[in-house]
Amino acid sequence: MKPILDVCCGGRMFYFNKRDPRVVFCDIRREKTTLCDGRVFEVTPDVQCDFTNIPFPNSSFRMVVFDPPHLLLNAKSKPTGYQHIKYGSLNSSWKDTLASGFRECFRVLEPNGILIFKWSDIDIKVSEILKLTPEQPVFGNRCGKANKTHWICFVKSGERNEEETQA
């Protein structure tokens, strides 16, 4: 099994090697489109799945990358424009969706494994997002033109239980 899982890979935009053999790339989408500036944009996951229901056993990965959609749609709008195409979007049940995503990421992460979480404070503040997981971040960093993008590192607590050790 590969050591790293990216649960919302999208276009793999922050990867140095978009085909890194150490990473299992997942996304709910599989699409190819042309952006408004003429560039081709592709979402080509190795495994097509929803980050709220990851199809891997408990404690399968040493590292999980979680860069969920951060744009909030109102009840009357549909995803349009290059930002929604590139990054996806959340609906009014975003709290439940992201809380489920955190649970799943920590479930497939081995004890003392690392979760790298990326969030942009466009529509929802990172302080609201961090309330959705009982795990405490170790450190983080802000970057971007407006200093709104957060990279946050978590380390999963706990020990492997007997069932996981025998698996």
Side-chain angles (χ1 to χ4, degrees), residues 66 68-70 90 94-95 98-99 102 117-121 123-135 150 152 154:
F66 188 27
H70 55 264
L90 296 167
W94 63 269
K95 285 183 181 181
L98 293 175
F102 273 116
F117 177 70
K118 180 177 171 267
W119 187 257
S120 187
D121 273 351
D123 290 333
I124 306 164
K125 297 289 180 202
V126 76
S127 58
E128 292 300 307
I129 301 305
L130 294 178
K131 293 176 185 175
L132 302 175
T133 178
E135 297 285 345
H150 299 260
I152 299 170
F154 294 84

Side-chain angles (χ1 to χ4, degrees), residues 10-144:
R12 307 179 190 190
M13 292 176 283
F14 53 72
Y15 282 89
F16 290 105
N17 177 356
K18 293 184 186 305
R19 300 194 190 308
D20 193 310
R22 299 167 292 183
V23 182
V24 177
F25 295 99
C26 297
D27 204 288
I28 196 169
R29 305 171 295 158
R30 183 178 299 277
E31 61 186 82
K32 181 176 182 178
T33 190
T34 302
L35 300 174
C36 59
D37 62 4
R39 289 179 295 147
V40 173
F41 178 75
E42 292 183 85
V43 177
T44 55
D46 300 324
V47 177
Q48 190 171 1
C49 65
D50 187 331
F51 65 76
T52 65
N53 187 20
I54 301 170
F56 295 103
N58 295 350
S59 303
S60 297
F61 297 93
R62 282 186 251 158
M63 178 185 287
V64 173
V65 178
F66 188 27
D67 178 13
H70 55 264
L71 298 170
L72 189 58
L73 289 178
N74 65 42
K76 296 178 185 176
S77 66
K78 293 182 181 179
T80 58
Y82 83 96
Q83 284 192 320
H84 289 280
I85 292 168
K86 285 176 75 173
Y87 304 114
S89 55
L90 296 167
N91 60 30
S92 60
S93 62
W94 63 269
K95 285 183 181 181
D96 292 335
T97 300
L98 293 175
S100 293
F102 273 116
R103 277 192 302 277
E104 279 292 280
C105 287
F106 284 112
R107 180 186 65 77
V108 299
L109 192 60
E110 65 184 29
N112 299 310
I114 295 171
L115 173 68
I116 301 296
F117 177 70
K118 180 177 171 267
W119 187 257
S120 187
D121 273 351
I122 299 299
D123 290 333
I124 306 164
K125 297 289 180 202
V126 76
S127 58
E128 292 300 307
I129 301 305
L130 294 178
K131 293 176 185 175
L132 302 175
T133 178
E135 297 285 345
Q136 295 299 308
V138 178
F139 62 85
N141 186 52
R142 287 183 183 201
C143 62

